[in-house]
Amino acid sequence: MKKNLLFAFAAIICMAITTSKSHAQTAGTLTFSVTTTEPSGGYTGSHVLAIWVENNSGTFIKTKMRYAQARVQYLNTWITKSGQNVVDAVTGATLNSHGTMSITWNATNVSAVVVPDGTYKIWMQMADRNSNGATASITFTKSPTPIVNQTFANSGNFTNMTLNWTPISSSTETIKPGASLSCFPNPFTDMLTLTFNLSDMQRVNASVYDFEGKLVKTLSDEMLSEGTHSFNWDATDSKGNQTAKGIYFIKVTAGNTTSVKKVIFSR
């Protein structure tokens, strides 16, 4: 009897540990950009558009963008999923031209609660005529691991899709066991110094990306020896032009391991 109770108690502990791990809720910032193009046979430029987030089971999480007024009914898939909920969404009238659209998601639902880690989808629907619009979606994994400049295949008239995920827990990531990445000062107004350690010789790529995941400048792409290494970034791009103030991401890849840190240029 005691042995059975011990086994049952152990099983309960294991279930609790598993549940705790599967419901990790990593906070962070996701950015996604997509370029829309003109379908043939539609109105010239004018279109309605919705972008929203769902979990892998198809449950609606949050609308991030909705441009539509009189023709909102043609965003039928979005309406069915969201019930037209636009909490925290960017909204506006029908768009007059196509181009690149960007959203930012803080990993929360409409109740401002950080959602569990796992697989999520960004859905898009666009209509440029008086009929239900075409949809497309991309899939990504929300976890403590950063995603930098992930791209996706074009889908219909949704093109040039790029996604970045920066978990708050990744402010300092390990390059190799015992090695850490630091950027200081942060925020910075003049020069940013990037410092990290290597436990052995490795090829290292250190690069700067903007908030939309576009490469701004490569600071290093070479074999480096064991020890501490530092690089400076003076907030200029690859052509020597001054970059705009805002949020940037420092990405360091050493061997098979990547580390990302968010920095703020505030000049």
Side-chain angles (χ1 to χ4, degrees):
M1 184 69 175
K2 290 183 178 180
K3 184 179 291 186
N4 290 337
L5 288 173
L6 287 173
F7 278 125
F9 184 64
I12 291 171
I13 292 176
C14 289
M15 289 174 63
I17 293 172
T18 301
T19 301
S20 175
K21 288 183 178 179
S22 64
H23 288 81
Q25 295 172 289
T26 304
T29 301
L30 178 140
T31 59
F32 173 74
S33 64
V34 57
T35 300
T36 61
T37 59
E38 180 71 34
S40 60
Y43 296 111
T44 303
S46 296
H47 63 286
V48 294
L49 174 69
I51 302 177
W52 69 98
V53 182
E54 295 183 8
N55 66 19
N56 199 41
S57 299
T59 301
F60 171 77
I61 301 298
K62 182 179 282 188
T63 301
K64 291 310 304 171
M65 181 176 289
R66 189 226 60 201
Y67 283 99
Q69 285 185 348
R71 293 181 172 82
V72 68
Q73 68 267 32
Y74 302 120
L75 298 175
N76 64 313
T77 302
W78 170 74
I79 290 173
T80 299
K81 290 287 188 176
S82 69
Q84 300 199 53
N85 186 304
V86 291
V87 171
D88 292 339
V90 175
T91 61
T94 298
L95 295 165
N96 295 319
S97 60
H98 291 276
T100 300
M101 309 298 288
S102 298
I103 65 163
T104 300
W105 179 47
N106 64 357
T108 66
N109 58 23
V110 294
S111 299
V113 175
V114 176
V115 297
D117 291 355
T119 301
Y120 288 84
K121 293 184 178 181
I122 295 178
W123 277 89
M124 299 150 276
Q125 184 169 33
M126 177 179 66
D128 73 330
R129 65 193 75 191
N130 293 335
S131 60
N132 292 332
T135 61
S137 67
I138 60 95
T139 302
F140 67 96
T141 300
K142 173 184 172 293
S143 73
T145 302
I147 301 173
V148 177
N149 207 30
Q150 182 176 355
T151 58
F152 306 86
N154 295 342
S155 180
N157 295 95
F158 297 101
T159 65
N160 301 325
M161 291 179 279
T162 304
L163 180 145
N164 289 274
W165 163 246
T166 305
I168 289 177
S169 59
S170 68
S171 58
T172 301
E173 292 293 325
T174 298
I175 295 178
K176 290 195 70 177
S180 61
L181 165 67
S182 65
C183 297
F184 60 93
N186 189 17
F188 71 105
T189 58
D190 186 19
M191 184 80 71
L192 179 78
T193 300
L194 159 69
T195 302
F196 57 91
N197 301 317
L198 293 177
S199 59
D200 55 24
M201 180 176 286
Q202 295 184 74
R203 185 170 190 85
V204 174
N205 179 284
S207 300
V208 182
Y209 292 85
D210 66 14
F211 194 68
E212 295 183 350
K214 297 177 182 178
L215 177 65
V216 174
K217 191 172 187 177
T218 298
L219 304 177
S220 171
D221 188 12
E222 58 188 316
M223 291 295 297
L224 296 177
S225 61
E226 175 185 353
T228 301
H229 299 272
S230 295
F231 295 95
N232 293 324
W233 180 42
D234 58 0
T236 59
D237 61 19
S238 58
K239 297 180 180 180
N241 299 316
Q242 185 75 47
T243 60
K245 66 180 181 180
I247 296 174
Y248 293 86
F249 298 95
I250 306 299
K251 175 184 176 183
V252 176
T253 299
N256 296 322
T257 306
T258 297
S259 178
V260 177
K261 187 175 179 68
K262 180 172 69 175
V263 297
I264 300 174
F265 177 49
S266 59
R267 172 180 291 178

